[in-house]
Amino acid sequence: MTFERITRRVFLRGSAVAGAGLAMPTIFTSASRAQDFCNAPTGANLVLGFNVPQTGPYADEGADELRALKLAVQHLNGEGDGGMLNTFKGTALKGDGVLGKKVTFVTGDTQTKSDAARASAKRMIEKDGALMITGGSSSGVAVAVQSLCQESGIIFMAGLTHSNDTTGKDKKRNGFRHFFNAYMSGQALGPVLAEAYGKDRKAYHLTADYTWGWTQEESIKNATEALGWETVQAVRTPLGAGDFSQYITPVLNSGADVLILNHYGKDMINSLTQAVQFGMRDKQVNGKDFQIVVPLFSELMAQGAGDAIKGIYGTANWDWKLENEGTKAFTKSFGQEYGQPPSQAAQTCYVQTLLYANACEAAGTFNPEGVVEALQDLEFDGLGNGPTLYRGADHQCFKPVLVVQGKEDPKDKYDLLQVVREVPTEQVMYDPSIFGGELGPVSNKC
């Protein structure tokens, strides 16, 4: 189904879907009574900080995140059609701001660099009075900004971050992640790869040289080796390399028959396109057709890679074509506002903003102590992924994981990926202790 057709169909069904469930009860804690916390709002407005990559290799994702974040603010303030506020089951939000205050926002450019991201977040906290920071499309950025927010007494609702470390060894009490992680990608994707390509395979990894790439490589290696694959080589590549030819050439003489690209954003577009241009997908190695795998996918990356994406397997956190009420509501709102369907980066940032606002409303306070209490072990539905748990032990969300594949015959430029399997939550869950780290106490002091 094309984006244009689904948008018209949902629009004709009506601009709102009735939300299910009763409003969440206010959580009465000492935090809800005290107002002695960082950036406690005293006027008619509250300020949120949207820290996204507006430049750098992940800028496409950042632009879509910012679109969604602005849309979330509109819906929280009662503007537009309400989007997922109409499908968010049991929400305390009423579309009249948060705790009687109008939602406003400031923005920053992470540049896909940790230092730049910390600097822009620090500015938003100290100069603009931001109560919460969200956004980002790099796990290196997420880890850095999450640490800053913990130090600064501010809630961090992570945007697009896929490294195991974000809610593993680098987790913080003030930080929460809705997006899935590299371990989940490995557990969901491994069995599909074994079914599609067999268990006797030799893999060569090209890996972005930072926290996300390292944990993505480790997770895919562990999952595929457990099924019988052999890892021939793993080579690290710099973020934003542009030209990957020097890394691709050795693959041809390695004896590998699968290339796994642990790249994202423009890096993935460039490395995949160049690998296809080198004729890799036309070769046979070890008596098998050579294959390429991209463990973490997005529609935005698929658009950039063009025909090179056809037949390629990967995983995704969400897809605009899912047949659930939350997805339909968000896709309709986003499409009417921007003339295109939202990406998974957009969805996760939109959802994070609503979840933060809902936690404040439910707790009856903006104090991080109350917000953390409201979010930990929260079970929710109606936001596009089905029943979801915000696990209290590590602040990681658990929900089904999508295994996707590039379509051979897409209907339009928004229809490039197909969901080939929706892996149940229980198949990607894990003991929170395996990645280490300590949440520590809540921080609420500037």
Side-chain angles (χ1 to χ4, degrees):
M1 181 176 293
T2 65
F3 168 64
E4 289 81 3
R5 287 176 60 195
I6 194 170
T7 301
R8 283 200 300 273
R9 180 170 68 84
V10 175
F11 176 77
L12 291 172
R13 289 180 59 187
S15 62
V17 180
L22 300 174
M24 297 174 67
T26 299
I27 299 172
F28 293 102
T29 66
S30 59
S32 66
R33 294 189 294 272
Q35 294 297 308
D36 182 20
F37 57 93
C38 186
N39 291 342
T42 56
N45 301 330
L46 67 103
V47 181
L48 305 182
F50 299 155
N51 205 23
V52 304
Q54 300 180 52
T55 56
Y58 295 170
D60 290 344
E61 279 72 19
D64 222 38
E65 288 178 342
L66 195 53
R67 294 182 190 106
L69 291 165
K70 291 177 179 178
L71 191 64
V73 169
Q74 290 180 29
H75 292 165
L76 289 171
N77 287 330
E79 302 167 9
D81 63 7
M84 285 192 190
L85 285 185
N86 299 310
T87 61
F88 187 179
K89 296 181 180 179
T91 181
L93 297 167
K94 306 175 185 65
D96 57 356
V98 182
L99 294 179
K101 297 184 183 295
K102 181 179 179 180
V103 182
T104 62
F105 65 90
V106 291
T107 67
D109 180 9
T110 71
Q111 304 174 39
T112 322
K113 298 176 180 176
S114 297
D115 289 346
R118 278 184 64 100
S120 58
K122 187 176 178 67
R123 182 261 302 167
M124 288 188 276
I125 294 168
E126 295 182 353
K127 294 185 177 180
D128 301 312
L131 272 167
M132 180 271 278
I133 303 293
T134 188
S137 292
S138 158
S139 290
V141 162
V143 167
V145 175
Q146 180 169 254
S147 178
L148 173 71
C149 288
Q150 183 70 33
E151 297 165 6
S152 303
I154 295 296
I155 295 293
F156 177 62
M157 301 295 286
L160 198 162
T161 168
H162 192 239
S163 171
N164 296 332
D165 294 346
T166 308
T167 47
K169 72 179 184 65
D170 295 308
K171 59 179 173 273
K172 303 294 182 186
R173 183 71 65 179
N174 283 39
F176 292 83
R177 171 166 59 183
H178 171 262
F179 208 72
F180 69 145
N181 66 17
Y183 175 89
M184 297 181 203
S185 284
Q187 295 304 300
L189 185 57
V192 174
L193 295 178
E195 291 172 17
Y197 302 140
K199 297 184 177 181
D200 180 22
R201 283 286 184 167
K202 298 182 184 298
Y204 193 112
H205 289 253
L206 290 182
T207 299
D209 193 12
Y210 74 106
T211 178
W212 168 68
W214 306 333
T215 65
Q216 179 65 89
E217 176 191 297
E218 177 186 39
S219 296
I220 295 296
K221 281 170 64 176
N222 290 344
T224 55
E225 288 174 1
L227 295 167
W229 287 30
E230 175 187 346
T231 302
V232 173
Q233 186 78 28
V235 175
R236 306 288 168 82
T237 62
L239 188 62
D243 182 5
F244 290 89
S245 57
Q246 62 177 310
Y247 301 103
I248 294 171
T249 301
V251 179
L252 300 171
N253 302 314
S254 67
D257 46 50
V258 179
L259 172 60
I260 298 178
L261 295 174
N262 300 303
H263 291 153
Y264 198 77
K266 288 185 173 66
D267 281 358
M268 173 271 178
I269 293 170
N270 291 330
S271 62
L272 175 61
T273 302
Q274 290 164 25
V276 172
Q277 290 171 347
F278 271 63
M280 284 188 166
R281 301 191 73 183
D282 301 322
K283 295 184 180 297
Q284 274 211 339
V285 180
N286 305 322
K288 305 176 182 69
D289 291 338
F290 195 94
Q291 303 293 342
I292 302 175
V293 176
V294 178
L296 181 60
F297 249 164
S298 79
E299 289 274 5
L300 294 174
M301 289 155 54
Q303 290 174 23
D307 287 346
I309 212 73
K310 292 183 177 181
I312 301 292
Y313 282 105
T315 61
N317 188 66
W318 175 83
D319 187 274
W320 71 268
K321 298 182 291 298
L322 291 173
E323 289 290 330
N324 61 65
E325 295 307 310
T327 292
K328 292 174 186 176
F330 179 51
T331 298
K332 180 182 77 70
S333 295
F334 195 95
Q336 289 180 332
E337 186 73 16
Y338 301 112
Q340 64 188 52
S343 65
Q344 63 177 351
Q347 186 255 359
T348 205
C349 284
Y350 177 93
V351 168
Q352 284 284 71
T353 305
L354 263 57
L355 287 171
Y356 170 76
N358 183 70
C360 294
E361 196 78 35
T365 181
F366 296 110
N367 191 321
E369 291 182 3
V371 174
V372 168
E373 184 177 345
L375 282 169
Q376 288 182 151
D377 289 317
L378 174 68
E379 296 181 10
F380 60 91
D381 199 356
L383 296 181
N385 298 99
T388 304
L389 167 68
Y390 236 135
R391 186 164 67 181
D394 54 2
H395 296 184
Q396 173 63 54
C397 266
F398 287 93
K399 53 197 181 299
V401 172
L402 306 181
V403 177
V404 296
Q405 186 179 29
K407 284 191 173 182
E408 296 288 350
D409 187 24
K411 294 180 175 65
D412 57 40
K413 66 178 181 179
Y414 303 116
D415 181 47
L416 302 178
L417 299 180
Q418 61 184 345
V419 177
V420 298
R421 186 169 299 177
E422 193 166 344
V423 180
T425 304
E426 56 268 22
Q427 293 185 26
V428 299
M429 290 195 78
Y430 54 88
D431 187 316
S433 67
I434 68 173
F435 295 123
E438 295 289 340
L439 284 172
V442 176
S443 170
N444 66 354
K445 304 295 185 183
C446 289

